[in-house]
Amino acid sequence: FTVVKNHFPKKDSGFSLLHGDFSFTNSLFDKGKVCFFDFEDSFYGEKEYDLAMIYYMEFLPKKGIIKTLDIKGYNLDKIGYYAFCIGIRKVALSKSKSQRRYRLQKLNMLYNRLNKVTPENI
């Protein structure tokens, strides 16, 4: 652990340990607390990535939901960008035509919202 810790960037770098597959399917509510599991896709990166994952996987069809992610210190443009990248990956990894079609619809919806460049449209 010490070797890994010594190679992490300083805290002010904006990087943190990320879940990597942050969604409702990888969490449980227990006694009023949220517990996360399935950290096999964890990595070290920008904190907006995990919010982008849950946005793409859970909230994308809802307009204006990005405003709820406007948490101090989070960049909404990065959340949108990472959500788009996640969408491309999800389309590429689709296992069936119907799954690919659904993921392409979500990706197209996100693309159209990002082109409008306002947080209200994301």
Side-chain angles (χ1 to χ4, degrees), residues 11-112:
K11 285 193 175 202
D12 62 358
S13 71
F15 279 52
S16 59
L17 183 62
L18 302 174
H19 185 279
D21 191 14
F22 195 60
S23 66
F24 293 144
T25 58
N26 290 329
S27 62
L28 294 172
F29 292 96
D30 183 38
K31 299 177 185 172
K33 294 182 180 180
V34 179
C35 302
F36 298 100
F37 57 90
D38 190 14
F39 284 86
E40 66 187 34
D41 293 331
S42 295
F43 64 97
Y44 201 62
E46 291 187 302
K47 58 190 175 185
E48 287 84 1
Y49 183 88
D50 272 342
L51 288 178
M53 176 65 80
I54 201 163
Y55 171 62
Y56 179 83
M57 296 297 291
E58 311 290 347
F59 298 125
L60 185 54
K62 300 175 183 172
K63 286 188 177 182
I65 197 75
I66 198 77
K67 289 180 182 180
T68 64
L69 299 176
D70 190 10
I71 303 167
K72 185 177 180 182
Y74 285 82
N75 183 315
L76 297 180
D77 293 332
K78 284 183 182 180
I79 293 171
Y81 169 77
Y82 284 133
F84 190 74
C85 293
I86 289 164
I88 292 170
R89 182 174 183 270
K90 294 292 183 182
V91 168
L93 296 174
S94 298
K95 295 181 181 179
S96 68
K97 287 182 180 180
S98 62
Q99 188 181 57
R100 184 177 299 113
R101 187 172 32 253
Y102 173 70
R103 290 176 175 182
L104 279 170
Q105 287 174 345
K106 287 177 83 170
L107 187 60
N108 188 46
M109 183 185 314
L110 182 57
Y111 176 79
N112 289 333

